[in-house]
Amino acid sequence: MNSFKIAIIGAGSVGFTKKLFTDILSVPELRDVEFALTDLSEHNLGMIKTILDRIVASNKLPTRVTATTDRRNALEGARYIISCVRVGGLEAYADDIRIPLKYGVDQCVGDTICAGGILYGQRNIPVILDFCKDIREVAEPGAKFLNYANPMAMNTWAAIEYGKVDMVGLCHGVQHGGEQIAEILGAKDGELDYVCSGINHQTWFIDVRLKGRRIGKDELVAAFEAHPVFSRQEKLRIDVLKRFGVYSTESNGHLSEYLPWYRKRPDEIARWIDMSDWIHGETGGYLRHSTETRNWFETEYPRFLEEAARPLETIERSNEHASHILEALETGRVYRGHFNVKNNGVITNLPADAIIESPGFVDRFGINMVSGITLPEACAATCMSSINVQRMSVHAAIAGDIDLLKLAVLHDPLVGAICTPEEVWQMVDEMVVTQAKWLPQYAHAVDAAKERLSKATVKTRDWKGAARRDVRSIEEMRAEKEAAKLRAAG
């Protein structure tokens, strides 16, 4: 098999890059390749390159690893490009959560839609288009762009419609939801089969089968409610299952911020979330988690280096799609997964231009989607609300149109359930001014937004949210774990 090049943008995300690397190298036919790592952080690049070089050396592989802050150089001649970037980092992300909270918009994650996800998309899309320009100009002709970065639908929409590259969006929400269903039904490996369809983070298990037998709503509800953990952690998802008739792929916390019904009143939020872990609905939960663990790979680096000496055969391949897609495209072995692509009639009751997440098969002929899927009406209606917001958000990001951006935020389901138009207009002005250094397309609008804010009449409040933990440092978390170990040891 001919050697080829895989470029990873945002490779300084040490843990995820290591996972992608070992996944791909678990396929013997994919070992004689070059991995070109690129990131803004030379420090992180140095760490991950050292780890990957040790994996290669320990396993006596022909794999080559290069690392550079020059993205265009990394992309030159690449057949596959994988992106896992967060434009603005935690600094901008904190404003995605903090500013809307002043206006009563309580988000758990804020990276897909809602006020935070929309602004995240405004930061990402210009950068995604820069990636696409480089791919068109210097990558291998027909290169495939695999995107792991959120907001998934907006990034993929912009890259396909405006970047003119062959992009597919990849997420693991479907797999995680499938693992839950397997657990509640007591399914063994290979016994559970399902079809999920919808849009990213609002994908629905429209067909669930255990050993070939169709599992209906009532059986799923009973199994979830009988589970000692999921019955507490997934209260909102179970409620949606009861009302819609199908289970959502997305976590309790994520799903709660895509719908207009569960997070709009502070006194209601506590009914539907669980505080055992951030992902179940904690206010700003993912921001807290990300802040507390922002340097975790620094402390885990010695362990990573030690693990790098292990034989590849002892490292379990993950269920992330990337390695399976590359294996299918390069070897012809068929892979079935759920992929984010332009709809074009795949889902009959969603718009053709929408980015949908639905089943497909991959082989040497490419990604071939299963067409003719019709969603239950309630699922389609919920997806449509988000699709309309995504479309306006992408178009606003491309044009630098602050008025269209405000209309996108106004039409967001959760924001619209909470805020008046005046509050939305002021909130967006505040977010654009605060994040101006990551929003070059809005440079012309910043001074006018500042002027409006100087005369603002909408009152905001310093509100921490309905369910929030204080942010802890890495050291505090370690101390807590050590104390717990000592207590357990007696």
Side-chain angles (χ1 to χ4, degrees):
M1 182 170 292
N2 294 330
S3 180
F4 56 89
K5 185 177 184 180
I6 303 167
I8 302 180
I9 307 174
S13 183
V14 175
F16 193 64
T17 300
K18 176 175 173 285
K19 180 193 293 186
L20 292 176
F21 185 80
T22 54
D23 279 353
I24 293 169
L25 293 187
S26 69
V27 183
E29 294 94 336
L30 303 183
R31 291 177 177 176
D32 185 15
V33 300
E34 176 188 347
F35 285 84
L37 314 178
T38 186
D39 198 279
L40 296 176
S41 170
E42 288 189 17
H43 174 66
N44 286 22
L45 276 178
M47 293 177 69
I48 186 61
K49 186 176 186 305
T50 301
I51 292 168
L52 302 191
D53 281 341
R54 180 168 290 190
I55 292 171
V56 170
S58 300
N59 288 274
K60 297 181 174 59
L61 301 175
T63 314
R64 284 88 59 206
V65 180
T66 61
T68 178
T69 56
D70 184 339
R71 183 184 71 234
R72 194 173 174 91
N73 180 265
L75 294 179
E76 187 170 358
R79 182 176 299 178
Y80 300 101
I81 299 92
I82 303 174
S83 173
C84 41
V85 298
R86 174 179 280 282
V87 178
L90 287 177
E91 181 184 353
Y93 180 37
D95 290 326
D96 289 343
I97 302 300
R98 178 183 62 81
I99 294 174
L101 199 53
K102 292 166 55 179
Y103 295 83
V105 181
D106 187 316
Q107 302 166 100
C108 173
V109 184
D111 71 354
T112 299
I113 59 165
C114 209
I118 293 170
L119 265 293
Y120 186 17
Q122 304 306 296
R123 299 194 302 273
N124 268 16
I125 286 172
V127 176
I128 290 285
L129 295 185
D130 285 344
F131 296 169
C132 292
K133 180 176 182 291
D134 287 346
I135 291 168
R136 292 195 310 268
E137 292 177 354
V138 303
E140 184 177 293
K144 187 170 287 293
F145 190 1
L146 283 64
N147 177 60
Y148 272 104
N150 284 317
M152 176 63 67
M154 293 185 213
N155 288 346
T156 307
W157 198 319
I160 292 172
E161 185 170 332
Y162 295 98
K164 304 301 181 186
V165 300
D166 182 10
M167 179 190 267
V168 58
L170 306 178
C171 185
H172 43 235
V174 171
Q175 297 97 300
H176 290 174
E179 289 165 0
Q180 285 188 329
I181 293 174
E183 181 170 334
I184 65 168
L185 296 178
K188 298 174 183 176
D189 286 348
E191 291 184 342
L192 185 70
D193 187 26
Y194 52 80
V195 173
C196 286
S197 195
I199 63 173
N200 183 241
H201 291 176
Q202 291 176 53
T203 320
W204 308 91
F205 286 91
I206 59 175
D207 190 323
V208 177
R209 298 175 189 242
L210 179 63
K211 293 188 284 189
R213 181 176 65 85
R214 185 80 176 261
I215 306 296
K217 179 189 85 169
D218 292 343
E219 187 170 352
L220 275 180
V221 169
F224 271 110
E225 290 188 329
H227 194 279
V229 177
F230 298 153
S231 59
R232 290 184 292 103
Q233 293 179 340
E234 309 289 1
K235 286 176 284 191
L236 186 148
R237 287 170 90 180
I238 295 170
D239 190 67
V240 171
L241 167 62
K242 289 177 179 177
R243 299 180 193 280
F244 282 41
V246 289
Y247 194 58
S248 166
T249 57
E250 209 44 52
S251 68
N252 204 71
H254 252 325
L255 185 60
S256 70
E257 63 190 1
Y258 306 145
L259 305 172
W261 313 304
Y262 297 98
R263 295 190 79 94
K264 65 182 178 180
R265 293 203 297 264
D267 57 323
E268 280 287 302
I269 293 176
R271 285 184 59 200
W272 298 110
I273 69 172
D274 179 84
M275 292 292 286
S276 62
D277 195 6
W278 69 266
I279 201 168
H280 308 307
E282 176 190 342
T283 301
Y286 189 52
L287 173 62
R288 176 184 65 80
H289 171 76
S290 300
T291 302
E292 291 174 347
T293 60
R294 66 187 305 169
N295 295 316
W296 68 274
F297 52 83
E298 299 275 3
T299 54
E300 295 297 316
Y301 185 59
R303 181 175 66 83
F304 280 164
L305 276 178
E306 183 179 340
E307 288 180 350
R310 290 171 52 189
L312 270 176
E313 290 71 22
T314 67
I315 301 173
E316 185 177 356
R317 187 179 185 181
S318 81
N319 60 8
E320 296 291 349
H321 293 300
S323 70
H324 299 279
I325 291 174
L326 267 61
E327 178 182 8
L329 291 172
E330 294 295 328
T331 71
R333 291 194 283 269
V334 178
Y335 173 61
R336 173 182 162 190
H338 291 77
F339 312 118
N340 289 267
V341 298
K342 194 169 182 176
N343 186 21
N344 284 333
V346 170
I347 300 177
T348 62
N349 51 347
L350 292 183
D353 63 338
I355 300 301
I356 51 105
E357 186 170 65
S358 207
F361 293 84
V362 193
D363 58 18
R364 66 187 182 89
F365 298 105
I367 296 176
N368 309 285
M369 301 299 288
V370 176
S371 63
I373 291 174
T374 300
L375 295 178
E377 288 191 62
C379 298
T382 299
C383 289
M384 277 299 307
S385 297
S386 293
I387 289 167
N388 290 331
V389 170
Q390 290 163 354
R391 183 187 294 108
M392 284 190 283
S393 299
V394 171
H395 293 167
I398 296 296
D401 186 339
I402 194 169
D403 294 324
L404 185 57
L405 174 60
K406 289 173 179 177
L407 287 167
V409 177
L410 181 68
H411 282 84
D412 177 83
L414 182 58
V415 173
I418 295 167
C419 294
T420 66
E422 291 83 0
E423 289 168 336
V424 171
W425 259 237
Q426 182 174 311
M427 176 173 67
V428 173
D429 276 343
E430 186 174 350
M431 295 181 83
V432 167
V433 168
T434 304
Q435 300 186 11
K437 63 183 175 181
W438 299 290
L439 299 171
Q441 72 273 45
Y442 292 104
H444 65 282
V446 171
D447 287 343
K450 287 180 178 177
E451 177 67 17
R452 289 190 294 271
L453 288 172
S454 71
K455 301 172 183 176
T457 58
V458 174
K459 292 183 179 179
T460 61
R461 51 183 170 160
D462 183 19
W463 187 47
K464 290 190 174 182
R468 186 167 189 160
R469 290 193 178 97
D470 293 329
V471 176
R472 297 166 293 163
S473 69
I474 297 290
E475 291 72 22
E476 288 171 328
M477 292 176 69
R478 275 220 191 84
E480 289 175 11
K481 287 182 179 178
E482 289 302 318
K485 285 180 183 177
L486 290 172
R487 287 195 298 271

